Amino acid sequence: MKHELLAPAGDMESLYQAIHNGADAIYVGLKQFGARHYAKNFSNEEMKHAIYLCHLYGVRLYATMNTLIKDGEVSSFLKTIEFLHKEGIDAVIMQDFGMICLVREMFPNLEIHASTQANNSSIETIQLLSDLGVKRVVLSREMSLDEINQISVNIEKEIFIHGALCISYSGNCYMSSVLGGRSGNRGECVGNCRLKYDLEQNGKIILKDQYLLSTKELNTSSKFQDLLNSDIQSFKIEGRMKSPEYVGFITRFYRRLIDGENFSIAEEMEKLRVLFNRDFTTGNLFCDKRMMNPTFSNHIGLPIGKVVRVTKKYIMIRLNKEINQEDGIRFLESGKGFIVNYLYDESKNLISSSSGTVIVDNKVGLTTLDHVYKTIDKKLIKSLKNFSPRKIAVQFFITAKKNQKLRIAVYDGVHKVEEEKGIVEIAVTSSISKDRIKKQVEKLGNTPFFSTNVEIDMDRDVFVSIKELNELRRTVIEKLTQIRGDERKLFLKRKVSFPKINTNTHNDLTASVTNCSQLKTCLQLGFQRIYVNDLALYHQYKDRKEVYYQLDRNLFQIDEALQEKNIVGENILFSNYSNTYGSYFLNITNSYSAYYLLKNGLPVIPVSIELNEYEIQRMVQNFQKKFSCSLPLEIMVYGRVCNMVIKNNPLSLNSQFRYRLIDYKKRCFPILYKNGKTYILNHITSCTSYSFPFPYTKQFNFYDETSEEIICIVKKLK
C-alpha cells in the first residue's frame, strides 16, 4: 500500500520546507483551537495561501482543530470549520467529542481525523469513531505495532514515527492545567514533564534533581521496514514548534526511507543529532524499555570533543569532529553553552574551521573539563535552506496542421488543459522542426512543472510563430497552475436537528474508593454509586447495587474487562452496555458533547475537571435551551485529580512502598504503579462547594482518607 508521509509546519517557511522535501501531506494550525498554541501558527490569509500552495504541488493539507471546546467558543469554532471547508482544507484533526459529532452532521463532505488528544487507545473507542464517520484515527503513542496490527476497524490508521513524546497518554494529562491553569487539552501545555523532580520512597529521597518524567525523542528509522510492512496509512512527524530546517531535513529523511533510497543513515543521524535530539527511542511502538532521559530534558546535540584545558579567558578543546565559526556548542556536564564567534588554533590564530585542537573564548565562566557537544551547525543549516524545489511532471501535446489553429494541451496525469491560437501557415522560406517546438514548450523556467514527454502532430513544411507558441505554453501552464491550486471538495452545509432525549437529574452522591474501609463507610453514608478499582473487592461486594467496578485506564480491549456494573474513562458506545457510567477523563467541556454522549447511552455526564463554576452553569443553561431537557451532571467536589496516566513503570516503582514525586516548589505528588500503568496524583486535594440552582450528583474521589475523615468531608459538602 502507499503510505502517506505527514509532516508538520508551524509557519509558512516550514510549510515550504515540508512541500519541497517530499511530504505527501502537511498538518498546520490556525491561531486558535490547535493543540500547539505556542507555535507561530497561521493567520486566515496564510491558511488560504497554504491550501493553494499544497494543492498546487499535490500535497494534502490538514488543519489541527484539536482542543477541547467550551460553550462560549462553539460559534467561533464552527465559523472556523466552515472557513476551512470553503477554502478547500483536506481534513480537520479534532479532539472534542461533541464537535466531532456536530461537524460530521453539519458538514458531511468534510473529512475528520480523530486527534491523538482524543485518547484513541481502545478498540471500542476506535470503533465508535468509525461508526460516527471519522475517516482516520491518530492512534495513541502508547500502542505497540503488534496491537495496531490487531485493529481491524474500518478506519484509516495514523501513527507518530518521529519527534517529541508525551509521557502521559494524550488527553489524559492535567498537570499543566491544575498547576498553572494552562490546559494541555487546550494547546497550552507548559511542559511540566520536562522539569526536574525528586523521587521519595516511604519518606526517603531515592532519586534527586532528575528529569524523571522526560522522554527521549521518538525515532523509528532503525525499525522502519516493520512499519512499511504494516497497514498503517499515515506516518506522522511531530514538530510544529521545531525550526524550518529541522522540518525540511526530517521530512526528506523519512521520504528517502519510504522510497527505499540507498543512503547512509549513520551520516544523516549525525546531522539529526545536531538539529535536535534528546537521545532517541523507538518508543512504545516497539516496546522500548529505555524511553526516559533523566539527565537532559532538552536538545543535547552531537558529541564533538572534550575540554582539555580551561583558563578564565580561554577554553581549549580537543575535537573528534569538525567545528566552524558561528557554530553553537554546549558543555555537557555544566549545561553551559554559546555561539563560537571566534575560533582559534593552538597558537591563538583566528581560523574559520577545524577538526583538531582549538581554542574558544570562555564567555560562560567554564571551570571544568567537560565533554563538548555541537548544538548548532551553521553550514548544515545553510545547506538546508537551499533545498531543490519540487517539480510536477507534465506531458505536452502539440497539434500544428496547415490552415488550422495551433493547439497545445498539457496533462499532469489528472487534469488536461488545452488552448489554441493563430493559424498554422505554409512555410515560405524555412519550416519549423519538431525539435524546435519541443525545445520551446519545455522552457518551463521557474514554474512548478517539468516536462516528461512532448507529442507533436504536425504537417510538413509549416511555419509556427515562436511568439504564439510561447504565449500558448504560458497560458496552459497558468491555467493548470490555477486548476491544481483551486482544487477542493464540494462545500456542503446542512441544518442539524437534535431529537429530544429523555433525561433524569438527581442529587446523588458517588465516590471512588481505594479500600474496603472506605467502601463500607460510603455504603453506610448512603452513596448511590461507589466506584471500586480493586477487582477482588468489587466481586466481594458486587451484589450491592451501589458498587461499580472502575476499569483500569486506557485498556486496549475494554470489552474483556467489563463487569456487571462499570465506570470507564474512554468514549465507547455506552448504549451497548448496561449499568456503565463515565468518568471525568471523558473531557466533557460543552453541551454538545453532553448531548451526543447522552444520546449514545451515557446515563450521567461527568463534567471535565477543567471547567470552573461559571462554565459549568453556562453549559447547563445552553443545554436546556438548545435541547429542551435537563442535563444530568456528575461533578467532582472532592478529591485528588489524576494528573497523568503513564504506560508501564518508567520509575521502577514497587507496589510494596509508597512513593511521591517532589518538584522544585516542594510540592509532593503521590505516584503509584498498578496493572501496567503509572498514575501521578495531584499534590493537593480539591474541595469545592458549588451553589448551583439545579440538581447534580456530587462525586468524591477518596485516596487515603480514613472513615472518620470521609464522614467529616461528606458532612461538610453534602
Side-chain angles (χ1 to χ4, degrees), residues 385-396:
K385 286 181 182 292
N386 297 320
F387 50 80
S388 299
R390 187 170 185 156
K391 293 287 186 179
I392 304 155
V394 294
Q395 300 179 62
F396 284 98

Side-chain angles (χ1 to χ4, degrees), residues 204-433:
K204 180 182 178 182
I205 301 296
I206 58 172
L207 294 173
K208 188 168 182 60
D209 207 27
Q210 295 186 28
Y211 298 104
L212 298 176
L213 301 179
S214 185
T215 56
K216 300 175 183 177
E217 290 280 292
L218 179 64
N219 181 341
T220 62
S221 60
S222 63
K223 295 181 178 290
F224 204 69
Q225 189 57 48
D226 293 336
L227 299 180
L228 290 173
N229 293 335
S230 74
D231 65 349
I232 298 166
Q233 275 82 8
S234 183
F235 297 147
K236 185 174 194 172
I237 300 167
E238 183 278 334
R240 281 195 290 141
M241 295 183 70
K242 300 280 193 357
S243 71
E245 294 76 26
Y246 172 91
V247 170
F249 174 87
I250 203 64
T251 302
R252 174 57 58 188
F253 179 72
Y254 280 99
R255 177 80 271 156
R256 296 167 80 183
L257 287 176
I258 291 172
D259 293 347
E261 187 177 326
N262 185 20
F263 66 101
S264 173
I265 292 180
E267 288 182 10
E268 298 305 296
M269 283 297 295
E270 285 204 353
K271 297 175 185 176
L272 178 56
R273 287 186 181 277
V274 176
L275 287 168
F276 194 90
N277 86 93
R278 295 183 175 104
D279 205 357
F280 295 117
T281 173
T282 55
N284 287 304
L285 195 57
F286 293 100
C287 304
D288 191 345
K289 302 300 183 185
R290 297 169 296 177
M291 290 178 55
M292 311 304 293
N293 186 347
T295 309
F296 303 101
S297 69
N298 216 321
H299 178 36
I300 300 170
L302 174 72
I304 61 169
K306 190 171 188 310
V307 176
V308 293
R309 193 167 74 218
V310 181
T311 68
K312 287 185 177 181
K313 192 173 182 181
Y314 296 111
I315 302 168
M316 181 176 284
I317 304 169
R318 183 173 293 124
L319 298 168
N320 52 45
K321 295 190 183 299
E322 185 181 69
I323 191 173
N324 297 279
Q325 190 179 8
E326 303 302 328
D327 283 352
I329 59 174
R330 177 182 180 178
F331 302 100
L332 194 66
E333 288 77 13
S334 69
K336 298 177 179 179
F338 54 80
I339 301 295
V340 179
N341 301 115
Y342 298 101
L343 185 66
Y344 311 92
D345 63 17
E346 291 182 79
S347 301
K348 297 183 181 175
N349 297 312
L350 279 171
I351 54 176
S352 59
S353 65
S354 177
S355 55
T357 299
V358 297
I359 294 172
V360 295
D361 295 324
N362 191 354
K363 300 190 288 185
V364 292
L366 186 70
T367 58
T368 54
L369 303 182
D370 284 13
H371 289 86
V372 185
Y373 280 60
K374 185 191 292 188
T375 55
I376 299 173
D377 189 316
K378 180 186 175 184
K379 287 171 62 176
L380 175 60
I381 290 174
K382 184 178 180 181
S383 69
L384 293 173
K385 286 181 182 292
N386 297 320
F387 50 80
S388 299
R390 187 170 185 156
K391 293 287 186 179
I392 304 155
V394 294
Q395 300 179 62
F396 284 98
F397 302 90
I398 316 295
T399 304
K401 296 289 188 176
K402 296 175 183 176
N403 301 319
Q404 296 180 19
K405 289 186 177 182
L406 175 64
R407 183 181 298 116
I408 293 185
V410 62
Y411 179 58
D412 64 0
V414 178
H415 313 93
K416 191 171 186 179
V417 178
E418 294 187 22
E419 284 292 323
E420 57 185 19
K421 188 179 181 69
I423 297 294
V424 178
E425 299 175 353
I426 299 172
V428 177
T429 54
S430 60
S431 60
I432 193 167
S433 68

Side-chain angles (χ1 to χ4, degrees), residues 22-38:
D24 296 309
I26 300 170
Y27 65 103
V28 301
L30 286 161
K31 299 294 184 182
Q32 56 181 346
F33 305 125
R36 279 286 186 262
H37 180 74
Y38 300 116

Side-chain angles (χ1 to χ4, degrees), residues 539-602:
H539 281 298
Q540 185 180 347
Y541 284 87
K542 70 178 183 179
D543 291 337
R544 294 291 302 260
K545 69 179 189 312
E546 304 95 330
V547 178
Y548 287 71
Y549 178 54
Q550 184 172 336
L551 272 69
D552 289 332
R553 297 302 325 286
N554 305 99
L555 296 173
F556 180 59
Q557 288 187 286
I558 292 174
D559 274 346
E560 295 180 352
L562 288 170
Q563 304 299 314
E564 296 87 344
K565 295 168 290 178
N566 310 277
I567 176 173
V568 299
E570 281 70 48
N571 279 317
I572 59 177
L573 186 56
F574 286 94
S575 59
N576 283 348
Y577 312 97
S578 60
N579 292 317
T580 298
Y581 289 77
S583 76
Y584 65 78
F585 280 106
L586 296 180
N587 289 332
I588 301 170
T589 59
N590 61 70
S591 54
Y592 289 93
S593 289
Y595 173 82
Y596 285 109
L597 283 166
L598 288 167
K599 186 180 176 184
N600 282 344
L602 185 63

